[in-house]
Amino acid sequence: MSTVPTIIYTKTDEAPLLATYSFLPIVQAFTKHSGITVETRDISLAGRIIAQFPEFLAEDQRIGDHLSELGALTLTPEANIIKLPNISASVPQLKAAVAELQAKGYALPDFPESPQTDAEKDIKARYAKVMGSAVNPVLREGNSDRRAPKAVKDYAKAHPHSMGAWSGDSKTSVGTMGGNGDFFSNEKSVTVADATDVKITFTGADGSVKVLKDSTPLKAGEILDATFMSKAALVSFLGEQIAKAKSEGVLFSLHMKATMMKVSDPIIFGHAVEVFFKDLIAKHADTIKELGVDFRNGFGDLVAKIEKLPADKKAEIEADIQAAYANGPALSMVNSDKGITNLHVPSDVIVDASMPAMIRAGGKVWDAQGKTGDTLAVIPDSSYAGVYQAVIDFCKKNGPLDPKTMGSVPNVGLMAQAAEEYGSHNKTFEAPAKGTISVTDAAGNVLLSHEVEAGDIWRACQTKDAPIQDWVKLAVNRARATGDPAVFWLDKNRAHDAQLIAKVEAYLKNHDTSGLEIKILAPADACTYSLERIVEGKDTISVTGNVLRDYNTDLFPILEVGTSAKMLSIVPLMNGGGLFETGAGGSAPKHVEQFVQENYLRWDSLGEFFALAPSFEHIADTFKLPRAKVLADTLDTATGKFLEFDRSPGRKLGTIDNRGSHFYLALYWAQALVEQTGDLELQAIFAPVAEQLVANEAKIVEELIAVQGKPVDIGGYYQPDDAKASEALRPSATFKAILEMI
Ligand SMILES: NC(=O)C1=CN([C@@H]2O[C@H](COP(=O)(O)OP(=O)(O)OC[C@H]3O[C@@H](n4cnc5c(N)ncnc54)[C@H](OP(=O)(O)O)[C@@H]3O)[C@@H](O)[C@H]2O)C=CC1
Ligand SMILES: O=C(O)CCC(=O)C(=O)O
Ligand SMILES: [Mg+2]
């Protein structure tokens, strides 16, 4: 065990990275006399790309594989990681990041779209390692406990965020395939009694055999599922939905998770683009082929590549694009000013955040004119789509939820060791032809098999037993700690869930559940049950699998407290370490755009504050370091005061932004350190600091606000220049000087 208490503060991307330039120096100053070391590790997209290609780069450009290092650390009891959100890159983002780094002098290889040689295949495989959700599954060696702290709920009740109106005649609804060839309907699941190693094989109708994955070790008691989405069913479903949106006069929107489901969902996304623009694509098939357009990267891939065409050809295609828009249903927009539609980039619209935002807005999305309208929200697979329909039905009947009075739905999520769908990407395949895909164990027994057609998307998912036991324990602990009902969102009619229910029922018996209300309900029913309670101001713990963990921890926070940035998000690692995620949301790309345009950062760091307190507590416990507990308690007090005085970033220029909010946190933290009497040495150290911060409040705030309103250069998007970014994010000389006193 390491002897120096160390917090690893992750260096990530976009808005959280910008916030780090301002906040980390504060954390380092406040921990300086505590015996705690605060170090960073670079898990940004740029850092992860660089780490893959050492031999292409100069010595001083190389970065070690910090992600693997942290992955190993999560297996140890002293692991203590503050994990900020990072980019889960789609192909367009990956290419943009590579281009930026190349322009900065990094001799990285281009991303090979269709690799031919072994060397190109190796390069593509290395890039594949950093694509999509490549970070979280490595670090999440524990299950998740996400909830809105009481102070945040109280704040939302006192300062309710806006909620769009919902009327009974809203035409918004969810479109999903249902029992028609989707993942839900085709799922098969087994629990293996003994450890084994399974092989995934495709056998063509012509008798040819291809091993898709040679080895997947399973532990005793592990659940293994397999399922597929029929391409034919999907394509015909998408055609129907597009026609339906048009006939109902609502905006068509598609909601996928192409980042986390990085193999299956870009394929589905690509089909949606191809169906929507069917005539255009048929008419220009040859040109599209020549240009090497890949619709899995979104319609934007075509829009970008036609730039290379001669002017007349380009104009012809552009006119046909306009005709396609005019012919189809109106498309929901990501950015109507720039003409970016829902189908442009697969990572622009991500279901966990996009559906709650739509629901919060009263069932509305943006149209091409910048107005809002009702939508047919298409979520092809029906495993979880019903949850959103349940919320929509509830709001249509009862009107919008009221943040002033509503209860809460915290979440206990099964995610350790890449549980369920989010661990499926290395076991997801597009069927090469008509045939059978089978999973056989080490003894040659067929565990699962499906008849597939060319293009069907087949996937297998694993869920280990130890994480399930840990998850059940965590659920019981939360129910005991709160007295609230705990509902397992599991559907006995779904193959995987049926296996899980058997385990849940067995493992609940290992715990004292007397007096606790524990239920198992199918997801949509569990959602309705929780909503019926939420309007009565009651809390209901949602105990879910990995995907619903992701969905629910944006859905309920966004409705309850306006954003998932304010969530406490703890991952008690199974070997005793702690992973403290900051909030439950992402890296807020649009905040960066605003920052570089007008030097204003709207990012709210409450998630970071909430993560840091239990991180200190973990150190206090693990290293028997009372001073760490003092830091935790005083930070808690400071965060409470921060909420009470409403010091989160404002929404408009001229108010304090992220940097000002950090100043106030520092001020309140210093004051709390002075007010405590348990550690007199710390009290003495922080007395002059608190005094200086109070005395200079007006000056510091003025210095922080003075820089707003003009563009600012941070020297890069994916890899900002540290010196420039640090200067931009720490514009108050007075505040800096006071921190240096510590
Ligand atoms: N843990 C992780 O590493 C996660 C990473 N991601 C990644 O983040 C990127 C963007 O994902 P996306 O789905 O757009 O979701 P985001 O959560 O980044 O953005 C959705 C919106 O949430 C609001 N928001 C989120 N966090 C904050 C914050 N701290 N302060 C203020 N507002 C906030 C903002 O909108 P508003 O105007 O409504 O306030 C923001 O535009 C992707 O690359 C995705 O893969 C996503 C989720 C988790
Ligand atoms: O890892 C990712 O890509 C996103 C994670 C996420 O959305 C979540 O855990 O809530
Ligand atoms: Mg999420």
Side-chain angles (χ1 to χ4, degrees):
M1 181 166 142
S2 149
T3 46
V4 185
T6 305
I7 294 175
I8 306 288
Y9 201 93
T10 52
K11 179 177 180 197
T12 61
D13 305 283
E14 298 182 329
L17 170 61
L18 296 183
T20 299
Y21 284 108
S22 161
F23 188 53
L24 186 60
I26 298 173
V27 178
Q28 283 169 327
F30 275 67
T31 49
K32 194 168 161 192
H33 300 283
S34 65
I36 302 171
T37 309
V38 182
E39 293 179 3
T40 58
R41 290 294 182 280
D42 187 346
I43 54 169
S44 66
L45 176 60
R48 289 181 282 126
I49 291 172
I50 292 169
Q52 287 299 322
F53 296 100
E55 79 274 26
F56 286 75
L57 304 173
E59 195 80 44
D60 64 341
Q61 291 177 321
R62 294 181 192 169
I63 298 179
D65 186 352
H66 292 182
L67 178 61
S68 299
E69 184 193 330
L70 294 189
L73 180 66
T74 60
L75 301 172
T76 67
E78 69 271 19
N80 192 312
I81 302 170
I82 304 281
K83 163 63 179 61
L84 282 81
N86 61 280
I87 293 177
S88 292
S90 60
V91 172
Q93 285 170 305
L94 183 77
K95 286 191 194 159
V98 172
E100 178 179 326
L101 290 168
Q102 287 171 336
K104 288 187 162 132
Y106 289 82
L108 291 164
D110 286 334
F111 175 78
E113 305 213 26
S114 33
Q116 303 300 328
T117 64
D118 283 350
E120 282 173 356
K121 284 181 189 156
D122 169 60
I123 289 168
K124 187 156 187 191
R126 291 202 231 175
Y127 277 126
K129 284 195 201 152
V130 300
M131 244 165 53
S133 183
V135 170
N136 288 320
V138 175
L139 302 183
R140 289 173 171 172
E141 270 293 323
N143 292 307
S144 109
D145 172 6
R146 287 184 176 177
R147 50 197 140 100
K150 184 175 177 301
V152 168
K153 280 298 281 183
D154 289 346
Y155 172 84
K157 285 175 182 172
H159 309 267
H161 51 273
S162 65
M163 286 288 238
W166 266 99
S167 78
D169 52 20
S170 163
K171 288 195 274 180
T172 290
S173 67
V174 173
T176 189
M177 293 170 73
N180 181 17
D182 67 356
F183 291 124
F184 177 92
S185 59
N186 289 322
E187 190 169 76
K188 296 178 184 175
S189 184
V190 289
T191 301
V192 298
D194 303 309
T196 183
D197 193 337
V198 299
K199 185 187 278 196
I200 304 173
T201 316
F202 169 77
T203 309
D206 60 1
S208 60
V209 177
K210 184 173 178 211
V211 176
L212 298 174
K213 189 165 191 287
D214 195 35
S215 168
T216 302
L218 300 181
K219 293 186 173 166
E222 190 156 345
I223 300 175
L224 180 73
D225 324 317
T227 186
F228 72 98
M229 180 174 276
S230 150
K231 177 184 165 185
L234 172 67
V235 167
S236 95
F237 162 79
L238 290 166
E240 285 157 24
Q241 297 300 301
I242 290 164
K244 183 172 178 216
K246 185 169 177 177
S247 75
E248 291 182 359
V250 294
L251 291 147
F252 177 86
S253 62
L254 176 69
H255 303 261
M256 304 297 304
K257 186 101 184 179
T259 49
M260 225 156 166
M261 298 302 295
K262 64 178 171 185
V263 180
S264 58
D265 286 19
I267 301 176
I268 298 172
F269 193 91
H271 286 307
V273 175
E274 287 176 12
V275 175
F276 195 95
F277 295 101
K278 194 165 70 207
D279 297 339
L280 171 86
I281 294 171
K283 181 169 169 196
H284 299 285
D286 293 342
T287 313
I288 287 171
K289 195 159 176 229
E290 274 160 37
L291 289 172
V293 173
D294 184 351
F295 288 112
R296 290 174 191 191
N297 299 337
F299 187 64
D301 203 42
L302 175 69
V303 175
K305 285 180 177 157
I306 57 174
E307 291 300 321
K308 292 185 227 150
L309 291 173
D312 55 338
K313 187 73 193 164
K314 182 180 155 209
E316 185 197 335
I317 296 184
E318 275 173 346
D320 287 337
I321 291 174
Q322 290 314 316
Y325 287 142
N327 257 330
L331 257 179
S332 132
M333 301 300 284
V334 168
N335 186 328
S336 41
D337 294 339
K338 295 187 180 157
I340 299 173
T341 72
N342 173 283
L343 294 177
H344 265 59
V345 187
S347 52
D348 272 357
V349 177
I350 309 183
V351 59
D352 54 345
S354 63
M355 285 299 289
M358 180 275 273
I359 292 168
R360 185 185 155 191
K364 307 282 185 194
V365 293
W366 297 101
D367 71 10
Q369 286 72 43
K371 295 208 244 4
T372 63
D374 291 343
T375 184
L376 176 61
V378 174
I379 303 176
D381 181 46
S382 61
S383 299
Y384 310 108
V387 166
Y388 295 115
Q389 186 63 53
V391 185
I392 291 169
D393 289 341
F394 193 88
C395 292
K396 279 189 193 170
K397 197 163 141 213
N398 303 293
L401 294 159
D402 182 356
K404 288 201 292 301
T405 54
M406 73 195 282
S408 193
V409 179
N411 180 264
V412 174
L414 172 61
M415 69 173 189
Q417 300 174 356
E420 301 185 330
E421 289 95 320
Y422 286 163
S424 68
H425 60 81
N426 59 357
K427 296 175 285 290
T428 303
F429 304 97
E430 217 176 357
K434 185 177 167 62
T436 307
I437 299 183
S438 317
V439 183
T440 44
D441 68 11
N445 303 307
V446 175
L447 298 182
L448 301 161
S449 93
H450 290 98
E451 303 291 315
V452 293
E453 304 282 334
D456 289 355
I457 308 162
W458 185 96
R459 72 166 185 232
C461 311
Q462 292 168 258
T463 314
K464 298 195 193 313
D465 185 66
I468 298 170
Q469 297 200 30
D470 179 80
W471 173 61
V472 171
K473 182 178 81 186
L474 193 56
V476 172
N477 287 349
R478 291 308 305 155
R480 181 65 70 199
T482 57
D484 295 326
V487 182
F488 285 84
W489 294 37
L490 297 172
D491 182 349
K492 62 181 187 324
N493 297 319
R494 183 179 161 198
H496 167 76
D497 287 11
Q499 300 291 322
L500 208 49
I501 289 171
K503 285 187 185 274
V504 168
E505 285 172 342
Y507 296 142
L508 279 172
K509 298 200 178 88
N510 297 341
H511 303 278
D512 171 16
T513 55
S514 57
L516 301 182
E517 203 180 322
I518 296 182
K519 290 176 186 291
I520 298 177
L521 293 173
D525 298 336
C527 185
T528 305
Y529 172 77
S530 306
L531 290 168
E532 281 162 356
R533 291 176 47 89
I534 220 170
V535 291
E536 293 172 2
K538 293 179 185 156
D539 302 346
T540 313
I541 302 167
S542 69
V543 189
T544 69
N546 207 349
V547 174
L548 281 174
R549 166 200 63 76
D550 180 28
Y551 292 8
N552 281 5
T553 59
D554 266 343
L555 174 61
F556 290 102
I558 287 172
L559 299 176
E560 291 176 30
V561 301
T563 165
S564 52
K566 299 182 176 180
M567 297 298 278
L568 176 66
S569 191
I570 301 177
V571 185
L573 298 171
M574 285 171 54
N575 290 343
L579 173 67
F580 306 95
E581 300 196 24
T582 68
S587 53
K590 70 184 179 198
H591 292 191
V592 188
E593 201 174 323
Q594 185 182 16
F595 185 72
V596 293
Q597 279 167 14
E598 45 189 43
N599 203 342
Y600 190 85
L601 183 61
R602 250 189 58 211
W603 178 258
D604 189 331
S605 289
L606 262 176
E608 286 99 289
F609 309 159
F610 284 128
L612 207 46
S615 158
F616 288 135
E617 275 169 15
H618 187 266
I619 293 221
D621 291 345
T622 315
F623 291 90
K624 309 285 172 267
L625 188 70
R627 194 161 269 186
K629 180 78 174 114
V630 174
L631 287 174
D633 292 345
T634 50
L635 177 57
D636 257 344
T637 306
T639 308
K641 212 161 158 190
F642 178 97
L643 282 164
E644 186 188 329
F645 290 98
D646 201 4
R647 299 301 188 189
S648 281
R651 286 225 159 203
K652 37 179 204 311
L653 287 188
T655 57
I656 57 159
D657 73 351
N658 175 266
R659 298 162 288 189
S661 76
H662 293 164
F663 158 69
Y664 278 104
L665 185 86
L667 168 62
Y668 300 148
W669 197 2
Q671 286 177 325
L673 281 161
V674 176
E675 280 154 22
Q676 58 83 32
T677 50
D679 187 327
L680 298 177
E681 201 187 333
L682 273 189
Q683 188 188 50
I685 293 170
F686 281 92
V689 178
E691 197 187 291
Q692 285 296 311
L693 290 171
V694 172
N696 289 287
E697 175 183 345
K699 187 167 177 216
I700 292 171
V701 169
E702 195 190 296
E703 285 172 359
L704 292 173
I705 292 181
V707 297
Q708 295 176 10
K710 306 175 274 289
V712 62
D713 174 25
I714 50 170
Y717 186 92
Y718 292 98
Q719 193 202 45
D721 177 275
D722 278 339
K724 284 185 183 169
S726 174
E727 192 175 313
L729 272 301
R730 304 184 73 198
S732 166
T734 311
F735 185 33
K736 264 164 82 169
I738 298 172
L739 287 177
E740 272 157 26
M741 280 169 48
I742 301 176

